[in-house]
């Protein structure tokens, strides 16, 4: 007897049933027929369950959830979260426009980012965002000037760089002193007292965000300890802070990771906050990946099987332009056959795209029994998948579908090739 297969990330909403991979009650071959591949497919129930795990994580506490739009910015995803009462964390004026187009509330939107332009700051102030999370002393002065020009007082939080190691991939670690993010902790108090000299600013909080795909509680606690010290120090100097924003970054299961659940994380954070007498302070959290990551997959078909002298390759119709994480971070995401075969011709394949880069792979050394034309699903692709997609090699970006029970809703059209160069112009010939 063979041992039962472990549940797939995204289970129970993403699972094999009668030999076919299903998202909720929709079989993926049907979606491939209707919408083509490559195709991003999300489970509404999985997104909602992940969102509820956050909203139910700390009953009786003042926690405000601000979904990090950059993880998956499709309007349908944003509206779903807005309908669940979430606000948003944005990093550009483009994301602000998305939030508003999706019916999100600017007054529950925080604006993070290390390089906000004057135009973006003005757009955020005009829209009436909850606050700007400020990343440098010079940005503070710019915001003060722009707010003055608009006749407003700008609500600001300072994003502190607590210099803690999130123990994640270096490209997605953001709270180390060598990273570009935030104001060094040692200068934070001075920056807060400087705000008092800037007439068009209103200090509302303190923020930090130490990284992404964090799978342990300790880095958060380390960051929290530093934030707590700062809150005390700053408030002793006469500045009152309304909220504490601890950012996002909770990891998901791609392989065998066991990140803490939101309730476990918040339980640990509140134990510290209570001990510091800050348990009643409104808390903001900015989860992105943990809301959508396990709720989505990338559906792709095998174009060609080929072998070099050393390796077997499954060349598929999606590539690094559709899903960049493997190329960018050497990230591992599970790849499963939509209709698994009997395994008689199982080989170890590198699953690669058609882009002209050797870094263009979705998975390496995967045991799969494949024929050309087979459908594969790259799992845990709901976050930083479509959001990072590009048109490299003039490849139209994939369509996106949101499954809701037995229904499949197209939430983004497949791009048309002609649209990819519609904005280009030929100068007169000489
Ligand atoms: C990216 C980001 C987040 C979300 O991170 P996840 O790992 O997706 O939860 C939250 N806050 C800020 C400031 C970010 O840059």
């Amino acid at each position: 007897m063979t041992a039962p297969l472990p549940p797939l990330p995204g289970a129970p909403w993403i699972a094999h049933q009668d030999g076919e991979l299903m998202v909720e009650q929709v079989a993926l071959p049907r979606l491939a027929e209707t919408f083509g591949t490559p195709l991003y497919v999300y489970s509404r129930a999985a997104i909602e369950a992940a969102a509820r795990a956050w909203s139910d994580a700390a009953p009786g506490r003042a926690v405000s959830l601000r979904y990090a739009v950059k993880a998956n910015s499709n309007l349908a995803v944003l509206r779903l979260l807005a309908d669940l009462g979430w606000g948003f964390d944005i990093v550009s004026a483009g994301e602000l426009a998305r939030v508003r187009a999706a019916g999100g509330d600017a007054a529950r939107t925080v604006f993070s980012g290390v390089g906000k332009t004057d135009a973006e700051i003005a757009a955020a102030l005009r829209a009436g965002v909850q606050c700007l999370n400020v990343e440098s002393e010079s940005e503070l002065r710019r915001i003060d000037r722009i707010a003055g020009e608009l006749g407003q007082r700008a609500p600001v939080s300072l994003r502190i760089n607590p210099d803690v190691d999130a123990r994640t991939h270096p490209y997605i670690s953001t709270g180390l002193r060598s990273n570009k993010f935030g104001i060094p902790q040692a200068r934070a108090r001075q920056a807060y007292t400087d705000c008092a000299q800037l007439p068009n600013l209103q200090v509302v909080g303190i923020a930090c965000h130490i990284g992404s795909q964090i799978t342990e509680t300790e880095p958060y606690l380390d960051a929290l300890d530093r934030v707590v010290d700062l809150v005390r120090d700053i408030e002793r100097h006469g500045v009152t802070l309304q909220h504490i924003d601890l950012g996002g970054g909770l990891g998901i299961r791609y392989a065998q990771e066991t990140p803490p659940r939101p309730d476990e994380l918040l339980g640990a954070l509140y134990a510290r906050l209570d001990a510091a007498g800050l348990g009643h302070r409104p808390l903001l959290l900015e989860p992105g990946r943990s809301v959508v990551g396990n709720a989505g997959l990338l559906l792709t078909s095998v174009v060609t099987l080929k072998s070099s002298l050393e390796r077997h390759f499954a060349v598929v119709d999606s590539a690094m332009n559709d899903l960049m994480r493997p190329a960018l971070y050497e990230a591992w995401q599970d790849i499963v056959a939509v209709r698994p075969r009997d395994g008689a011709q199982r080989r170890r394949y590198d699953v690669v795209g058609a882009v002209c880069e050797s870094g263009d792979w979705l998975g390496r050394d995967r045991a799969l029994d494949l024929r050309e034309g087979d459908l594969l699903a790259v799992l845990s692709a709901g976050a930083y998948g479509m959001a990072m997609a590009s048109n490299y090699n003039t490849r139209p970006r994939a369509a996106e579908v949101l499954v809701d029970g037995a229904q499949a809703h197209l939430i983004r059209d497949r791009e048309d090739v002609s649209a990819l160069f519609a904005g280009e112009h030929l100068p007169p010939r000489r």
Side-chain angles (χ1 to χ4, degrees):
M1 231 180 74
T2 51
L5 292 171
L8 299 177
W13 300 281
I14 297 170
H16 285 102
Q17 207 177 302
D18 300 327
E20 283 188 324
L21 189 60
M22 313 276 292
V23 171
E24 300 190 29
Q25 293 154 48
V26 175
L28 290 174
R30 205 190 97 209
L31 288 184
E33 260 163 49
T34 310
F35 301 107
T37 56
L39 184 71
Y40 273 100
V41 186
Y42 313 112
S43 155
R44 174 181 173 147
I47 296 174
E48 288 186 339
R52 290 229 165 76
W54 278 108
S55 9
D56 298 344
R61 303 286 191 166
V63 179
S64 297
L65 296 163
R66 304 287 176 258
Y67 170 68
V69 171
K70 73 177 191 284
N72 182 326
S73 52
N74 188 288
L75 296 189
V77 172
L78 301 185
R79 194 186 66 181
L80 222 155
L81 291 162
D83 286 351
L84 291 173
W86 286 50
F88 297 93
D89 167 54
I90 57 168
V91 292
S92 71
E95 289 189 349
L96 175 61
R98 279 185 177 276
V99 165
R100 300 175 88 190
D105 184 3
R108 279 184 291 170
T109 296
V110 300
F111 190 3
S112 306
V114 73
K116 305 175 197 76
T117 64
D118 288 8
E120 287 181 315
I121 291 166
L125 291 176
R126 281 201 198 93
V129 296
Q130 178 176 10
C131 76
L132 295 111
N133 288 350
V134 181
E135 303 225 9
S136 69
E137 292 89 343
S138 103
E139 191 189 342
L140 268 182
R141 289 190 291 275
R142 268 191 315 124
I143 294 173
D144 177 66
R145 172 176 54 76
I146 295 163
E149 287 160 12
L150 294 174
Q152 292 190 13
R153 276 190 93 188
V156 294
S157 266
L158 301 199
R159 175 168 173 186
I160 304 311
N161 183 323
D163 192 23
V164 301
D165 186 356
R167 287 181 252 168
T168 182
H169 189 283
Y171 288 10
I172 50 175
S173 150
T174 56
L176 283 168
R177 68 164 108 191
S178 54
N179 298 136
K180 67 182 173 184
F181 298 99
I183 296 175
Q185 192 190 353
R187 295 212 305 263
R189 197 225 299 153
Q190 186 61 47
Y192 271 105
T193 46
D194 287 354
C195 289
Q197 261 66 64
L198 298 169
N200 308 307
L201 299 184
Q202 189 194 355
V203 170
V204 296
I206 186 167
C208 79
H209 168 73
I210 57 171
S212 199
Q213 187 53 18
I214 302 168
T215 53
E216 305 159 291
T217 305
E218 286 69 28
Y220 284 100
L221 294 174
D222 292 346
L224 180 64
D225 286 345
R226 301 195 177 186
V227 168
V228 163
D229 287 347
L230 262 177
V231 170
R232 289 192 170 132
D233 186 25
I234 292 160
E235 295 197 332
R236 263 200 306 274
H237 285 80
V239 181
T240 318
L241 302 171
Q242 289 163 30
H243 69 244
I244 299 174
D245 179 344
L246 292 176
L250 189 63
I252 62 169
R253 187 159 83 80
Y254 288 102
Q256 298 304 319
E257 299 93 335
T258 51
R261 294 189 316 262
D263 61 328
E264 293 169 333
L265 177 64
L266 283 177
L269 292 175
Y270 271 112
R272 294 277 167 107
L273 283 166
D274 285 342
L278 292 170
H280 299 293
R281 226 26 103 84
L283 206 61
L284 257 61
L285 297 171
E286 306 167 352
R289 187 191 308 270
S290 55
V291 181
V292 289
N294 283 143
L297 57 82
L298 174 61
L299 183 62
T300 188
S301 31
V302 177
V303 175
T304 303
L305 297 176
K306 64 173 275 183
S307 301
S308 68
L309 295 178
E310 295 193 345
R311 303 182 87 82
H312 300 296
F313 295 100
V315 186
V316 296
D317 66 355
S318 61
M320 66 185 283
N321 73 294
D322 299 298
L323 181 65
M324 201 186 184
R325 297 186 65 259
L328 186 61
Y329 316 124
E330 300 197 15
W332 192 96
Q333 295 183 219
D334 206 357
I335 301 178
V336 299
V338 167
R339 286 191 176 117
R341 298 179 179 279
D342 61 10
Q345 293 187 48
R346 180 172 297 141
R347 289 182 169 167
R348 303 202 73 87
Y349 285 102
D350 285 2
V351 180
V352 302
V355 163
C356 307
E357 301 275 348
S358 293
D360 175 29
W361 47 269
L362 300 177
R364 291 188 289 202
D365 203 23
R366 305 300 174 90
L368 291 162
D369 180 354
L370 295 178
R371 309 287 185 283
E372 292 181 356
D374 281 4
L375 289 170
L376 292 173
V378 186
L379 302 181
S380 307
Y384 305 105
M386 185 64 179
M388 285 181 144
S390 80
N391 296 119
Y392 188 37
N393 282 206
T394 307
R395 294 170 59 92
R397 279 178 292 177
E400 292 175 288
V401 163
L402 181 67
V403 170
D404 181 6
Q407 304 269 349
H409 303 285
L410 182 66
I411 57 170
R412 182 183 168 122
D413 296 333
R414 182 174 306 287
E415 258 173 349
D416 192 61
V417 170
S418 61
L420 302 189
F421 48 82
E424 296 178 25
H425 305 286
L426 295 168
R429 279 210 173 90
R430 295 180 61 200

